[in-house]
Amino acid sequence: MQQQLSARPRVLGKGQTIACSKLRSVAVCAAMKVAVTGAGGRTGGLVVKKLLEGGADKFVAVPIVRSQKSADKVESTYSLAKGSAKVLDISSGDVAAATTALQGCDALVIATSAVPEILKLSLIPVILAKLFKKEGVRPQFRWKEGQTPEQVDWLGQKVQIDAAKAAGVKQVVLVGSMGGTDPSNMLNKLVGEDGGQILQWKRRAEQYLVASGLTYTIIHPGGLVDEEGGKRRLAVDVDDGLLKRKTRSIPRADVAALAVGCLGLAEATNRSFDVCADPVGEGEPSTEWGALLDGLGGRNCDYSINSQAEPAEPVVAGTP
C-alpha cells in the first residue's frame, strides 16, 4: 500500500490554487481545507456554499458556528455529513479550543460580526414619522448579551487570529466593512452612549491581523444586500474612497465569491481593500479576481488613519 503524503497549497497561477506533492512518478493532489467562522450567518453561509460549489477536489469546507443548533442547520442546508460543522464560541476567549477547531486547516475565512437587534417598540415612532413626513426618526437597537462589537469583532477575532497562527493556518481572509477610517460613521453609533463603535473594533482586529505575521487578505465590502451574485462589475479602492460613490452596496454572494477567489491568490497576498458593486448592466460582471486587485496598483488600506489604538503584539496559544 502506498503511503499517503500530506500537502499544503501552493499558488500555481492567477486564481488557481491547488495542493500537490509527488509520490514516485504520480502527482498526489489534496484539496485546500478552509475553515469558515460565522458560517451560520448570511455571508458566512454563502462562503461555505461557494467553497462547496468549487468541488471536493479543490476545497474542503469546515463550517464553524456558535451553537449545536446552528451546526445542525448548516449541515442540513448544505447536505454535509453529521459532524462536519464545528461548534466554537469565539467570544469565550478560549484560544486553545479555537486552535483545536482549526487544526489541519490550510486557510481561514473570518465572517463573524456582531449583529444588532432592533427594538420593536422603537418602530412605532418611525412609522408615525413616515406617516407625518417627519425626518430624522430612526429605530433603536441593542446588542445581544455577550455579543457586543468589542466581544465579537475585536476579542473574538483576536482569538481566531491567535488560533490560526498556533494551528499553522497559511492564509486568513477577513471580511470586514467599509467606513473604518471615520470614527463618526453612523454604524459606530447604533447602540447606547458609545454606540458600540463596531467599525473601530473591526479596525483594531484588522491591525492585529496585519501585525500577526500571517498571510492575510482583508476585504471591506460596502452595504451588504441579499441579491443574486455574479451579475455585477465590482469596484475596488482603499481608505473608504468608494464611500464617495452614489452606488456603494454589494451582494453578499459577490463578497463570498471574492473571499473564496482570494484563497491562495498571489494578488491577494497581504492586501487590504474596499469593494462595492456597480448596478446590474453597467459593465461586465467581475470574475477575474487577480485582474480586479491589479487595478489597485499595489495600494493597501492605511491603518494609521484614525486608528483607535495600536494593536498589541500577537501571541501564540500557550505563551504569556
Side-chain angles (χ1 to χ4, degrees):
M1 181 179 294
Q2 291 182 331
Q3 182 181 4
Q4 185 176 2
L5 299 183
S6 61
R8 287 291 185 180
R10 61 184 176 88
V11 177
L12 300 181
K14 287 197 173 187
Q16 184 181 14
T17 305
I18 194 166
C20 293
S21 63
K22 287 186 177 180
L23 186 61
R24 296 181 180 175
S25 60
V26 180
V28 180
C29 297
M32 179 185 284
K33 191 173 183 180
V34 184
V36 183
T37 55
R42 287 179 288 176
T43 303
L46 289 171
V47 173
V48 173
K49 182 173 183 288
K50 201 68 182 178
L51 288 169
L52 295 174
E53 288 175 351
D57 60 331
K58 189 172 183 181
F59 297 115
V60 174
V62 183
I64 298 179
V65 294
R66 182 183 291 270
S67 67
Q68 187 58 52
K69 181 179 179 180
S70 292
D72 294 340
K73 183 177 179 180
V74 167
E75 289 169 355
S76 174
T77 300
Y78 301 110
S79 301
L80 296 172
K82 188 69 176 177
S84 297
K86 298 186 179 183
V87 177
L88 174 70
D89 182 1
I90 62 163
S91 299
S92 68
D94 193 340
V95 177
T99 302
T100 299
L102 296 178
Q103 284 294 342
C105 291
D106 301 300
L108 165 65
V109 178
I110 299 177
T112 52
S113 179
V115 179
E117 278 189 329
I118 194 168
L119 296 176
K120 294 181 180 179
L121 290 179
S122 72
L123 291 174
I124 296 175
V126 174
I127 294 171
L128 292 174
K130 287 186 176 181
L131 289 174
F132 291 100
K133 298 182 179 180
K134 183 179 179 181
E135 298 182 356
V137 180
R138 296 178 178 175
Q140 297 178 7
F141 299 86
R142 69 178 177 184
W143 304 109
K144 292 181 181 179
E145 185 177 353
Q147 298 182 42
T148 67
E150 181 179 5
Q151 293 166 310
V152 175
D153 295 279
W154 161 230
L155 297 175
Q157 290 190 5
K158 179 177 180 293
V159 163
Q160 295 176 67
I161 294 164
D162 287 341
K165 190 165 186 177
V169 169
K170 299 302 181 184
Q171 181 184 7
V172 175
V173 177
L174 191 159
V175 180
S177 178
M178 277 199 290
T181 64
D182 181 12
S184 65
N185 188 289
M186 64 173 291
L187 292 179
N188 286 323
K189 302 177 180 180
L190 286 177
V191 180
E193 292 183 3
D194 68 355
Q197 298 296 317
I198 186 168
L199 297 182
Q200 295 298 288
W201 289 120
K202 285 179 181 290
R203 191 170 179 81
R204 187 170 180 182
E206 292 167 14
Q207 288 177 282
Y208 192 79
L209 174 57
V210 170
S212 71
L214 289 163
T215 297
Y216 66 87
T217 305
I218 300 170
I219 303 171
H220 299 135
L224 297 171
V225 293
D226 295 314
E227 297 178 6
E228 186 179 359
K231 302 293 184 182
R232 294 167 170 79
R233 179 177 61 189
L234 304 187
V236 292
D237 203 345
V238 297
D239 301 329
D240 293 333
L242 295 176
L243 291 178
K244 300 172 185 176
R245 288 168 46 108
K246 182 178 180 180
T247 303
R248 49 184 182 270
S249 61
I250 182 171
R252 293 177 188 273
D254 285 331
V255 175
L258 177 57
V260 172
C262 285
L263 292 169
L265 185 68
E267 293 88 345
T269 299
N270 295 336
R271 304 302 302 276
S272 179
F273 58 92
D274 309 335
V275 62
C276 65
D278 292 330
V280 175
E282 292 189 9
E284 290 295 318
S286 297
T287 57
E288 296 295 331
W289 310 122
L292 178 70
L293 297 184
D294 275 343
L296 291 170
R299 293 177 298 145
N300 266 347
C301 290
D302 182 359
Y303 284 98
S304 68
I305 300 174
N306 290 331
S307 298
Q308 176 175 328
E310 289 299 320
E313 283 297 317
V315 298
V316 176
T319 62

